């Protein structure tokens, strides 16, 4: 018989209000993949959980197994609060894009150690991430979060870990070496002009930028020389891939 209570290392991806005083937290966990849990009384000022279950918090949890899909949180220990990321609007936006990527691509209660490690590494780097600036040092507006090289790098690595690494070396349909001017999520990679019907346009900056981000560790994402055009293309490729593959995984996860 499975033990009623268990411990796991986890990251809070999302937190939703439940009734007067409770919250439901959606978590990526090291040992069990995606789990959901109720934190009772967390919105009371006297809560023993305090501010330890905020989105992006990296925690060690004690849980009691529920009968349905939701477990109950019985204890929380902070491993890394990532308060520095929540206190800055740009970093928080980048962090939530990363959390959303994990929610989309890893919906099952199934451990994926490499995905979890990529997420925690990303959050550690996020705490010190500077806001992008213009040449004279003026901070750019926070709506650029989706084009941040660090989060584009995480999203590409998660596709890789999930088994959906885009094929970028030659046309994913016919194998032609190039030129490759499009990207098709359905075919699973870059495509030549002949197979570009319905594909997204893909610039040389976008193609090279993605290859460089996939080769470099997360910590070097800001040093691969991603151009604005490259970042826009990469964002479009990532969005299309997550919609196509994430939707597929959600459909298969909810069957049966
Ligand atoms: Zn082709």
């Amino acid at each position: 018989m499975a033990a009623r209570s268990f411990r796991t290392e986890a990251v809070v991806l999302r937190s939703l209000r439940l009734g007067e005083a409770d919250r439901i937290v959606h978590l990526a966990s090291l040992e069990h993949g995606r789990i959901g849990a109720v934190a009772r009384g967390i919105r009371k000022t006297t809560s023993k959980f305090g501010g330890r279950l905020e989105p992006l918090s990296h925690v060690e949890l004690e849980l009691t197994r529920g009968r349905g899909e939701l477990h109950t949180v019985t204890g929380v220990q902070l491993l890394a609060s990532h308060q520095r990321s929540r206190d800055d609007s740009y970093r928080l936006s980048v962090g939530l894009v990363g959390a959303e990527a994990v929610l989309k691509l890893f919906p099952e209660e199934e451990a994926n150690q490499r995905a979890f490690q990529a997420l925690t590494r990303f959050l550690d780097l996020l705490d010190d991430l500077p806001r992008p600036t213009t040449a004279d040092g003026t901070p750019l507006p926070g709506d650029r979060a989706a084009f941040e090289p660090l989060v584009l790098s995480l999203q590409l690595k998660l596709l890789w870990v999930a088994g959906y690494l885009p094929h970028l070396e030659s046309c994913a349909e016919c194998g032609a070496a190039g030129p490759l001017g499009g990207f098709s999520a359905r075919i699973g990679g870059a495509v030549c002009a002949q197979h570009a019907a319905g594909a997204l346009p893909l610039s040389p900056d976008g193609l090279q930028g993605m290859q460089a981000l996939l080769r470099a560790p997360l910590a070097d994402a800001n040093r691969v020389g991603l151009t604005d055009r490259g970042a826009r293309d990469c964002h479009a490729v990532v969005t299309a891939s997550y919609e196509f593959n994430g939707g597929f995984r959600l459909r298969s996860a909810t069957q049966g």
Side-chain angles (χ1 to χ4, degrees), residues 1 9 11 29-30 34 38 86 89 107 114 118 144 147 149 191 195 197 229 246 248:
M1 203 176 79
E9 187 181 334
V11 168
S29 75
L30 176 61
R34 169 82 145 275
V38 180
R86 275 191 305 280
S89 63
R114 291 170 70 205
R144 293 182 44 103
F147 306 105
V191 286
H195 297 107
R229 178 67 206 267
F248 172 75

Side-chain angles (χ1 to χ4, degrees), residues 17 31 59 132 172-173 204 206 238:
R17 288 173 168 217
E31 290 92 349
V59 293
E173 183 77 346
V238 160

